[in-house]
Amino acid sequence: PDNISVQRPHTILYNILSWRDSSRLNDNKLNHNATVHSCNCEQRRAACLKNPKASCQIASSVLVKTVCFMRSLPSFSHLPSGDQVALLRDCWVPLFVLGLAQEKIEFEVTDAPDSSMLRQILLGQGQTEKEAEERRPQPTLAQVHKLKSCLHRLWNLDLSPKEYAYLKGAILFNPDVQALRALPFIEGLQWEAQRALQGVVLLLHPEDTGRFSRILLAASAIQTVSHNLVTELFFKPLIGNADLFDLLREMLFVQHDNR
């Protein structure tokens, strides 16, 4: 991680961390007015944020909160560093989506400038083979619709702060991640988080016997959200071709060192 910031006085990491002021989240919520069409050709159209500057700032604030949540848990901080990195890689997207839901963040998308098939063909004639291979797939309206469906599903559940916290713990401590050194410990942490979540659900909604199952189904849905979608839609306008996971790992361990 040390070589990420070499020759970058104003690093991407600094820019992300400088947007910690969560008070702007509620003031800068973006209206969800985009219509996602039902036909397949419309669903395949490339999409981008309508207001990328505001949206990327808000998304960066949520991402910082996500990393702060992880490092704030002693049970996570005491894991071997390799396990921390593996869990971070596995769970940062669903935890980020939970953060968007908890902060009630809405966003609007529009057609990407090069979403026209004809324009892609014309531009492609001037590309080298290497440039074509390196071209990353853009988010589609179908992917954005799936993400927004996950958010609305969580909003309809109207989760309490404690429900969000324990659900995040259950997602973070995923024993199915490969090559974990502290596997039995992580299995126990997930079981404890799920048990605590169930206890809070029963306490707050004793009459709603199906709520716990609906929460778990919503959690399963957000884990299908594409890493590429989140990276390209919310963070590529900020970081360009930099590796977002390298930045996340740097954020996690730099903040550990500065505590």
Side-chain angles (χ1 to χ4, degrees):
D2 292 338
N3 62 359
I4 294 176
S5 58
V6 172
Q7 297 180 346
R8 264 192 290 171
H10 300 288
T11 64
I12 296 167
L13 173 62
Y14 173 82
N15 290 332
I16 292 176
L17 294 178
S18 67
W19 287 326
R20 285 187 183 215
D21 184 5
S22 61
S23 65
R24 289 186 297 177
L25 288 174
N26 291 331
D27 295 334
N28 291 298
K29 287 180 184 177
L30 305 177
N31 292 328
H32 168 41
N33 296 319
T35 301
V36 180
H37 302 284
S38 58
C39 71
N40 290 333
C41 60
E42 293 288 316
Q43 291 283 290
R44 289 195 298 268
R45 284 166 56 183
C48 64
L49 294 168
K50 190 169 185 179
N51 189 346
K53 182 177 181 180
S55 299
C56 289
Q57 289 185 1
I58 294 171
S60 296
S61 296
V62 173
L63 187 62
V64 168
K65 284 188 174 185
T66 298
V67 177
C68 287
F69 166 78
M70 297 173 68
R71 71 176 182 83
S72 71
L73 300 176
S75 51
F76 179 81
S77 299
H78 293 159
L79 290 173
S81 59
D83 285 5
Q84 292 184 42
V85 171
L87 294 176
L88 173 66
R89 187 185 299 276
D90 174 75
C91 77
W92 78 264
V93 168
L95 289 184
F96 171 76
V97 175
L98 279 179
L100 292 179
Q102 187 171 11
E103 298 288 350
K104 300 292 194 298
I105 302 302
E106 300 182 3
F107 58 92
E108 189 174 352
V109 297
T110 186
D111 288 335
D114 60 345
S115 61
S116 165
M117 183 64 69
L118 175 60
R119 184 173 180 181
Q120 288 183 22
I121 294 173
L122 293 176
L123 291 177
Q125 291 177 351
Q127 289 183 331
T128 66
E129 183 176 348
K130 181 179 179 181
E131 288 172 337
E133 290 176 354
E134 291 178 349
R135 182 181 175 87
R136 293 185 293 190
Q138 290 182 301
T140 65
L141 289 176
Q143 290 176 316
V144 173
H145 176 68
K146 181 178 182 180
L147 171 58
K148 289 191 174 187
S149 295
C150 290
L151 293 175
H152 282 278
R153 192 171 186 174
L154 289 165
W155 291 335
N156 288 336
L157 287 167
D158 193 22
L159 300 178
S160 69
K162 284 188 176 182
E163 287 173 316
Y164 269 115
Y166 291 132
L167 181 57
K168 289 176 183 178
I171 289 175
L172 170 59
F173 297 112
N174 181 6
D176 295 329
V177 173
Q178 296 296 314
L180 293 172
R181 291 176 55 192
L183 179 58
F185 183 56
I186 291 170
E187 285 178 332
L189 291 172
Q190 186 183 66
W191 181 80
E192 289 180 8
Q194 290 176 341
R195 185 180 65 171
L197 173 61
Q198 187 173 28
V200 170
V201 170
L202 291 174
L203 179 65
L204 298 179
H205 304 275
E207 74 291 345
D208 191 348
T209 57
R211 181 176 177 83
F212 181 65
S213 296
R214 293 198 303 275
I215 292 175
L216 294 183
L217 287 173
S220 177
I222 65 174
Q223 293 187 70
T224 66
V225 174
S226 164
H227 281 61
N228 180 73
L229 165 67
V230 173
T231 301
E232 295 293 310
L233 186 65
F234 293 107
F235 300 108
K236 186 179 179 182
L238 173 66
I239 68 173
N241 292 324
D243 189 317
L244 179 58
F245 183 73
D246 284 345
L247 299 175
L248 289 173
R249 183 169 51 190
E250 182 182 2
M251 289 165 62
L252 181 67
F253 290 111
V254 165
Q255 291 186 37
H256 273 168
D257 294 340
N258 290 339
R259 285 193 311 174

